[in-house]
Amino acid sequence: MGSVQEIRLAHGGGGRYTQQLIEKIFLPAFTNPQLDLLNDSAILDLPVSRIALTTDSYTVDPLFFPGGDIGRLAVCGTVNDLSVAGARPLFLSAGFILEEGFPLADLERIVESARAAAREAGVSIVTGDTKVIPHGKADKCFINTSGVGVVERDPPLESRVHEGDVLVINGFMGRHGMAVMTSRKELGFSSRIESDVAPLNHLTARMMKAAPGLHAMRDATRGGVAAVLNEMASQASLGVELTEEWLPVTEAVNGACEILGLDPLYIANEGVVVASVSADESETLLKAMKKDSRGRDSRVIGRVCREHPGRVVMRTQIGSHRIVDMLSGEQLPRIC
Amino acid sequence: MGSVQEIRLAHGGGGRYTQQLIEKIFLPAFTNPQLDLLNDSAILDLPVSRIALTTDSYTVDPLFFPGGDIGRLAVCGTVNDLSVAGARPLFLSAGFILEEGFPLADLERIVESARAAAREAGVSIVTGDTKVIPHGKADKCFINTSGVGVVERDPPLESRVHEGDVLVINGFMGRHGMAVMTSRKELGFSSRIESDVAPLNHLTARMMKAAPGLHAMRDATRGGVAAVLNEMASQASLGVELTEEWLPVTEAVNGACEILGLDPLYIANEGVVVASVSADESETLLKAMKKDSRGRDSRVIGRVCREHPGRVVMRTQIGSHRIVDMLSGEQLPRIC
């Protein structure tokens, strides 16, 4: 970009600066035949004509956190939304909203990280857009990614839990939220919790293949595992019963949560999937999940029951029961 | 939303407030079978397996301007990107980034306007996302829309101009940019220029049907008609020759441009398409365009030539020639 070291308004103007930004930063990282045409729309040939479409805006603060950054997050988050819908993610769009004055070096780091995540997931970023906002009217960098995946399973995943289903999880809860939270300077945390942000599509493909009795999958992002389970229960008008001692939480996350008065069940994850599978296939499913690098810590956390429809109830370690409600307020703003 | 009159952080938290926002504002407006499932991904059946995918973030300031608002803009802009790619727009995603304290009444107006525009275009908003940013860290409301269209023409539109092509335009230049510009309070304009923001998919479908010799279409948004023509010339390594007196500009836009020292050729449009068609089909194409409500003022503005490859040259009204260069700076920030 010559001697320009930061984003200027002209980078969003659709003229020569925009072209330079595309040619110097975006194209080299994301290169693929569709994107390289530089048309406003990418033309894509799909193997089947049933697709999944999803969108998410990412506004995480800070942009860089232990275990990832907004670029990796924007790719993985959207890949995972497609994956848990039972789709095979193929193509992503990327829309950047940048604040005037944002360092180009930071943008390059973010783009490189998005590139690496897309490669890991095996998806292509085929179209994009950049807008620049005057200084002070936006906070550094927001990214929207939308994604298209193909739904090859026929019939598609039901996305609804059944009575008697076993609920499984692939790994430890609360890592992403606590990584972002504890990396905020004002809290002065010294513990280093790494985000779990990762593409789950290879794991979910394995799960779909291993267990025809897989009824629903959800990635436990905003609102955490508690939100996902409440949605599952409410959609199917069935109850969910959790067993507290089965819930996987690392000591570091547990400790940080205790200090901040937070509950890991409500903390955002970016690499955690909760699945509901018919009881007779739960062992087969777990075995398949453990073979994947994103599923080594897979385990059962509860079951779907006919009692207390629409509610999630947890059997605590001391033998009592408590309702795991949907969060009404906002626990952690700008966590993703 | 009970007594809550403005956006709170909790509306972006993925919990109960988010659910209320979806159920009270988004669902009633955008209702369709895919969206109503409220899954993170929409599952869509397409009539063919070749698609176009596009994305754009909208950050226009002010949010409401004569002739439209950010909601209408976000739908039309993405519909038009698909349309000029020769695709039939079907499905849109909508990602809202809202500032804490943003009035819910304004959000409802925007959503209603997006709904009406989607209906006009015949597209469905099938998936969405909302993030809330603490007060002062974003400016009121940004919207990303991504769109999926189907490419039914086989082979698809070439999107590349040919030597000897005639260049046509469907209407007057610079209306959107000047509508937004002159509605900014600090300029104190009293003239009322209305934005041309409109979905062009019905017009472009007509054009595709009427003229098999239609080689390329572009919507002249950021950077205006000048940017579009420069892209066309540069991509094909051919020249473009414009005739100044053929360029359609309203008196109001011309007047405002003169006062502000701007050139209508560089001003953003949101309902203007520039098309390149083989000379022998230009009359047929124009006739078809004029039958559409968005094409009544269609006319020829120039031609594609072998001379001065990659450059746009304008024959002025006094008979001289001047180069219409790509803009290097940013003429009007946050125009779309």
Side-chain angles (χ1 to χ4, degrees):
Chain A
M1 316 293 295
S3 58
V4 180
Q5 300 296 319
E6 50 187 42
I7 288 292
R8 296 180 179 179
L9 285 175
H11 284 120
R16 199 168 280 157
Y17 270 76
T18 307
Q19 214 173 38
Q20 282 179 9
L21 197 65
I22 292 169
E23 285 170 10
K24 301 268 171 69
I25 295 188
F26 293 120
L27 270 193
F30 298 145
T31 181
N32 58 65
Q34 291 88 6
L35 185 69
D36 297 352
L37 288 176
L38 287 184
N39 289 326
D40 274 343
S41 298
I43 306 293
L44 309 166
D45 283 308
L46 305 174
V48 297
S49 60
R50 177 174 287 162
I51 64 167
L53 176 67
T54 191
T55 194
D56 252 317
S57 299
Y58 299 87
T59 61
V60 65
D61 173 37
L63 298 175
F64 302 93
F65 47 81
D69 59 39
I70 192 172
R72 180 170 176 82
L73 183 61
V75 168
C76 295
T78 292
V79 161
N80 293 348
D81 275 345
L82 295 171
S83 305
V84 296
R88 179 159 64 92
L90 289 178
F91 302 111
L92 261 54
S93 66
F96 287 80
I97 297 179
L98 302 172
E99 184 187 11
E100 183 186 13
F102 186 64
L104 281 177
D106 284 355
L107 180 61
E108 285 180 286
R109 264 179 81 190
I110 289 166
V111 164
E112 164 55 27
S113 168
R115 183 202 63 74
R119 192 188 174 109
E120 192 179 334
V123 298
S124 303
I125 294 168
V126 292
T127 189
D129 172 58
T130 306
K131 292 291 187 306
V132 179
I133 305 294
H135 181 70
K137 295 288 189 179
D139 194 17
K140 300 183 194 82
C141 171
F142 303 146
I143 304 177
N144 176 285
T145 49
S146 298
V148 169
V150 284
V151 180
E152 288 161 320
R153 179 152 128 169
D154 193 22
L157 193 71
E158 211 179 320
S159 289
R160 187 177 280 266
V161 301
H162 289 203
E163 188 188 331
D165 273 4
V166 166
L167 295 164
V168 300
I169 197 169
N170 69 316
F172 292 88
M173 298 191 308
R175 288 174 53 199
H176 175 72
M178 295 319 292
V180 172
M181 202 61 186
T182 56
S183 67
R184 287 186 185 157
K185 287 192 197 93
E186 62 271 26
L187 291 177
F189 258 84
S190 62
S191 80
R192 190 181 160 88
I193 297 169
E194 293 220 336
S195 167
D196 59 344
V197 56
L200 294 173
N201 54 324
H202 303 306
L203 172 64
T204 57
R206 243 183 235 270
M207 293 165 69
M208 302 256 291
K209 201 173 160 197
L214 180 67
H215 295 131
M217 298 189 281
R218 290 275 189 151
D219 57 332
T221 55
R222 279 187 294 185
V225 170
V228 156
L229 294 174
N230 270 285
E231 281 166 27
M232 284 176 157
S234 145
Q235 262 196 343
S237 296
L238 289 168
V240 161
E241 193 182 87
L242 284 186
T243 299
E244 187 174 26
E245 61 185 278
W246 295 348
L247 295 174
V249 189
T250 63
E251 268 185 51
V253 166
N254 222 4
C257 276
E258 276 182 15
I259 292 169
L260 296 170
L262 299 169
D263 182 341
L265 262 173
Y266 292 92
I267 307 296
N269 312 276
E270 291 293 342
V272 166
V273 56
V274 175
S276 188
V277 62
S278 62
D280 57 331
E281 290 184 20
S282 62
E283 277 310 311
T284 317
L285 180 67
L286 278 173
K287 212 172 134 187
M289 290 172 74
K290 285 180 181 171
K291 282 188 187 142
D292 192 280
S293 62
R294 306 288 173 205
R296 292 207 207 297
D297 300 304
S298 297
R299 69 195 63 190
V300 171
I301 57 168
R303 65 183 190 94
V304 179
C305 57
R306 200 200 306 215
E307 296 76 40
H308 50 82
R311 287 213 170 270
V312 179
V313 173
M314 184 159 74
R315 201 146 42 95
T316 65
Q317 304 209 15
I318 55 167
S320 67
H321 286 77
R322 75 168 172 93
I323 290 173
V324 177
D325 212 348
M326 192 120 177
L327 207 62
S328 59
E330 165 67 302
Q331 211 174 16
L332 306 167
R334 296 187 66 186
I335 219 69
C336 60
Chain B
M1 318 291 297
S3 59
V4 179
Q5 299 297 320
E6 49 186 44
I7 288 291
R8 295 182 178 176
L9 285 175
H11 283 120
R16 199 168 280 157
Y17 271 76
T18 306
Q19 214 173 36
Q20 282 179 10
L21 197 66
I22 292 170
E23 285 170 8
K24 302 269 170 71
I25 297 189
F26 293 120
L27 270 193
F30 299 145
T31 181
N32 59 66
Q34 291 88 8
L35 185 68
D36 296 352
L37 288 176
L38 287 184
N39 288 326
D40 274 342
S41 298
I43 306 293
L44 309 166
D45 283 309
L46 306 174
V48 297
S49 60
R50 178 175 285 162
I51 64 167
L53 176 66
T54 191
T55 193
D56 252 316
S57 299
Y58 299 86
T59 62
V60 66
D61 173 38
L63 297 176
F64 302 94
F65 47 82
D69 60 37
I70 192 172
R72 179 169 176 82
L73 183 62
V75 169
C76 295
T78 291
V79 161
N80 293 349
D81 275 345
L82 295 171
S83 305
V84 297
R88 180 157 65 91
L90 289 178
F91 302 111
L92 261 54
S93 65
F96 287 79
I97 297 179
L98 303 171
E99 184 187 9
E100 183 187 14
F102 186 64
L104 281 178
D106 284 355
L107 180 61
E108 284 180 286
R109 265 180 80 191
I110 289 167
V111 164
E112 165 54 27
S113 169
R115 184 203 62 74
R119 193 188 173 107
E120 193 180 334
V123 299
S124 303
I125 295 169
V126 291
T127 188
D129 172 58
T130 306
K131 292 292 188 308
V132 179
I133 306 293
H135 181 70
K137 295 290 191 178
D139 194 17
K140 299 182 195 83
C141 171
F142 304 145
I143 303 177
N144 176 286
T145 49
S146 299
V148 170
V150 284
V151 180
E152 287 161 319
R153 177 151 131 171
D154 193 22
L157 193 72
E158 211 179 321
S159 288
R160 185 177 281 265
V161 302
H162 289 203
E163 188 187 331
D165 273 4
V166 166
L167 295 165
V168 300
I169 197 168
N170 68 315
F172 291 88
M173 299 191 308
R175 288 174 54 199
H176 176 71
M178 295 318 292
V180 173
M181 202 63 185
T182 56
S183 69
R184 288 188 184 157
K185 286 191 196 96
E186 62 270 25
L187 291 176
F189 258 84
S190 62
S191 79
R192 189 180 159 90
I193 298 170
E194 291 220 338
S195 169
D196 59 342
V197 57
L200 295 173
N201 54 323
H202 304 305
L203 172 65
T204 57
R206 244 182 232 270
M207 293 166 70
M208 302 256 292
K209 202 174 161 197
L214 180 69
H215 294 132
M217 297 188 281
R218 291 275 190 151
D219 57 333
T221 55
R222 278 188 295 186
V225 171
V228 157
L229 294 174
N230 270 285
E231 282 166 26
M232 284 176 156
S234 143
Q235 261 195 343
S237 297
L238 289 167
V240 161
E241 193 183 86
L242 284 186
T243 299
E244 188 174 24
E245 61 186 278
W246 296 347
L247 295 174
V249 189
T250 63
E251 268 185 52
V253 167
N254 221 4
C257 275
E258 275 182 15
I259 292 168
L260 296 170
L262 298 170
D263 183 340
L265 263 174
Y266 292 92
I267 307 295
N269 312 277
E270 292 293 341
V272 167
V273 56
V274 176
S276 189
V277 62
S278 61
D280 58 332
E281 289 184 19
S282 61
E283 276 311 311
T284 318
L285 181 67
L286 278 173
K287 213 172 132 188
M289 289 172 76
K290 285 178 180 170
K291 282 189 188 141
D292 192 281
S293 62
R294 305 290 173 203
R296 293 210 206 296
D297 300 304
S298 297
R299 67 195 63 189
V300 172
I301 57 168
R303 63 183 191 93
V304 179
C305 57
R306 200 200 305 216
E307 295 77 40
H308 50 81
R311 286 212 170 271
V312 179
V313 173
M314 184 161 74
R315 202 146 41 94
T316 66
Q317 306 208 13
I318 54 166
S320 68
H321 286 78
R322 75 167 171 94
I323 290 173
V324 177
D325 212 347
M326 192 119 179
L327 207 64
S328 60
E330 165 67 304
Q331 210 173 14
L332 306 167
R334 298 187 63 188
I335 219 70
C336 59

